[in-house]
Amino acid sequence: MFASGGGPDAPHRPVLLAESIRYLAPEQGGLFLDATLGLGGHSEALLEASPGVRVLGIDRDPEALRFARARLARFDERFRAVQANFKEFAGVLKDAGEERLSGVLADLGVSSLQFDSVERGFSFRHDAPLDMRMNAGDDEEETAAELLARLPEEEIARIIFEYGEERKSRRIARWIVERREAGEAIQTTTELAALVARAVGYKRTDRIHPATRTFQALRIAVNHELEGLEEFLEASIDLLQPSGRLVVISFHSLEDRIVKRALRRLAGQCECDPRLPVCACGARRAVEILTRRPVTPTEAELDENPRARSAKLRACRKLEDVASLKAT
Ligand SMILES: C[S@@+](CC[C@H](N)C(=O)[O-])C[C@H]1O[C@@H](n2cnc3c(N)ncnc32)[C@H](O)[C@@H]1O
């Protein structure tokens, strides 16, 4: 088990920490929603930024919640944590008796605590059951092994291609299904990693292990990571008070594309065919985008934390007077 608390030995280093806090602008205080609490690194910095800050943290992972609660206990009533999917955050807010938010942070993906917990099966560096559920222990959710045992070959190939951007997705899917048909369905991380390495042909000079993309794809599929993100972003703007900030950190090009397009629509940039008489894409002038280009980690951060390498931060500020639905 890990010790609680931050510092260089904490089991997860918060990514783009200074940049996130700058864009969230917590100096005036108020209630902030940390939609992906994880180990509480960003929440801790928010709570330290001003005594007027309160944080409501959400995570679907009970282990992350245990850690964050211990780490942030010293902030007493200024910090609360709830186990939930951030898709349900409006209900969580209501149950907590809160109405308006000063800021929302979503730091998407997995934490190092999850990734490095051998038995949770996120990594091919250790032999473990192929699980990958963020809400470990929730028996209603399918594990990665169960997904590979059930899905048709074309669907496995689609997941590996779309979420992993793996060019040899069809070949990998074929090998997985052949093995399943031979009565030897994949059960463990190392079985899958070895199969992928053989299917794609592993060269010692390869920069990354050939199974990296397949593992990422499966993790996204098991946890439905892209579903509901757009709705969450829209709903979080509705619950922000005027001038409130939304900051999103993504680690995958598909995620970043969803965030970028949602922020553009919320800033009133209509995506419809200009020949249409009225806007049908839902664009409205509700926010000002604060990051014309995504903010990425500095070389210094990457030297200290290579896991930050694909991070992209986008931020916006809710307008004082939100215009009604745009029709141009
Ligand atoms: C990158 S970590 C956050 C790390 C955190 N900012 C910190 O500094 O410690 C992402 C966290 O989001 C959680 N998570 C991912 N998708 C979620 C969802 N849809 N609802 C709730 N939590 C989610 C994961 O369980 C994980 O703990």
Side-chain angles (χ1 to χ4, degrees), residues 12 14 35-42 58-61 64 84-86 107-111 114 134:
H12 179 88
T36 51
L37 178 65
L39 288 296
H42 287 91
I58 292 182
D59 206 293
R60 63 207 291 198
D61 181 350
N85 190 311
F86 61 59
D107 172 21
L108 303 168
V110 275
S111 71
Q114 292 164 327
M134 283 187 189

Side-chain angles (χ1 to χ4, degrees), residues 21-317:
I21 303 303
R22 182 154 50 82
Y23 280 110
L24 285 166
E27 304 76 26
Q28 305 295 320
L31 178 66
F32 288 76
L33 175 78
D34 186 344
T36 51
L37 178 65
L39 288 296
H42 287 91
S43 282
E44 182 171 60
L46 274 173
L47 288 157
E48 282 171 349
S50 159
V53 165
R54 294 184 296 126
V55 171
L56 177 60
I58 292 182
D59 206 293
R60 63 207 291 198
D61 181 350
E63 202 183 334
L65 286 173
R66 263 197 301 281
F67 188 98
R69 283 191 180 117
R71 178 181 189 169
L72 303 175
R74 67 191 157 103
F75 295 100
D76 297 323
E77 297 88 65
R78 290 175 57 207
F79 171 71
R80 268 176 295 174
V82 177
Q83 185 182 355
N85 190 311
F86 61 59
K87 289 192 275 187
E88 306 150 6
F89 90 96
V92 172
L93 203 64
K94 196 163 166 229
D95 291 347
E98 303 282 359
E99 283 183 356
R100 284 274 173 255
L101 294 161
S102 297
V104 175
L105 170 70
D107 172 21
L108 303 168
V110 275
S111 71
S112 298
L113 176 71
Q114 292 164 327
F115 199 73
D116 294 334
S117 296
V118 173
E119 71 285 359
R120 298 188 64 173
F122 284 101
S123 167
F124 49 79
R125 283 182 286 128
H126 313 281
D127 188 30
L130 192 62
D131 189 322
M132 297 199 190
R133 290 167 303 167
M134 283 187 189
N135 50 353
D138 182 344
D139 291 338
E140 289 183 10
E141 297 286 340
E142 244 176 343
T143 65
E146 286 164 351
L147 211 69
L148 291 183
R150 177 181 64 80
L151 291 179
E153 185 179 327
E154 310 77 66
E155 183 60 6
I156 297 176
R158 183 195 67 78
I159 287 171
I160 298 175
F161 181 72
E162 266 184 40
Y163 301 160
E165 296 171 286
E166 168 61 67
R167 284 184 300 117
K168 296 188 178 157
S169 56
R170 289 209 184 145
R171 193 174 162 80
I172 297 170
R174 178 91 287 265
W175 279 52
I176 290 171
V177 170
E178 271 174 10
R179 199 178 145 141
R180 179 170 96 187
E181 285 168 356
E184 293 168 12
I186 289 179
Q187 303 289 348
T188 67
T189 50
T190 43
E191 281 170 16
L192 180 61
L195 177 142
V196 175
R198 284 202 310 279
V200 305
Y202 184 27
K203 292 192 290 301
R204 278 176 157 270
T205 49
D206 284 347
R207 210 168 46 85
I208 60 168
H209 189 284
T212 308
R213 287 184 285 271
T214 298
F215 270 66
Q216 169 184 282
L218 272 178
R219 191 204 84 210
I220 291 174
V222 164
N223 295 293
H224 313 283
E225 288 182 37
L226 302 176
E227 288 166 30
L229 178 56
E230 197 176 320
E231 292 74 12
F232 161 76
L233 298 172
E234 293 264 347
S236 66
I237 295 299
D238 291 334
L239 289 169
L240 272 183
Q241 65 191 33
S243 290
R245 308 288 184 99
L246 168 67
V247 171
V248 187
I249 304 171
S250 60
F251 292 83
H252 189 283
S253 57
L254 288 178
E255 249 170 22
D256 183 56
R257 200 175 314 156
I258 294 173
V259 177
K260 177 169 141 189
R261 292 184 61 184
L263 293 199
R264 281 194 182 161
R265 274 198 310 279
L266 285 161
Q269 295 173 26
C270 178
E271 293 181 335
C272 301
D273 183 330
R275 289 166 299 186
L276 276 184
V278 288
C279 166
C281 71
R284 54 184 169 136
R285 283 198 195 87
V287 306
E288 172 199 3
I289 295 176
L290 302 174
T291 45
R292 240 167 39 89
R293 290 173 193 286
V295 178
T296 51
T298 58
E299 288 298 324
E301 176 167 1
L302 290 177
D303 281 348
E304 279 197 0
N305 183 13
R307 283 184 180 172
R309 73 180 168 271
S310 46
K312 287 191 173 150
L313 179 153
R314 295 185 187 268
C316 66
R317 183 182 72 87

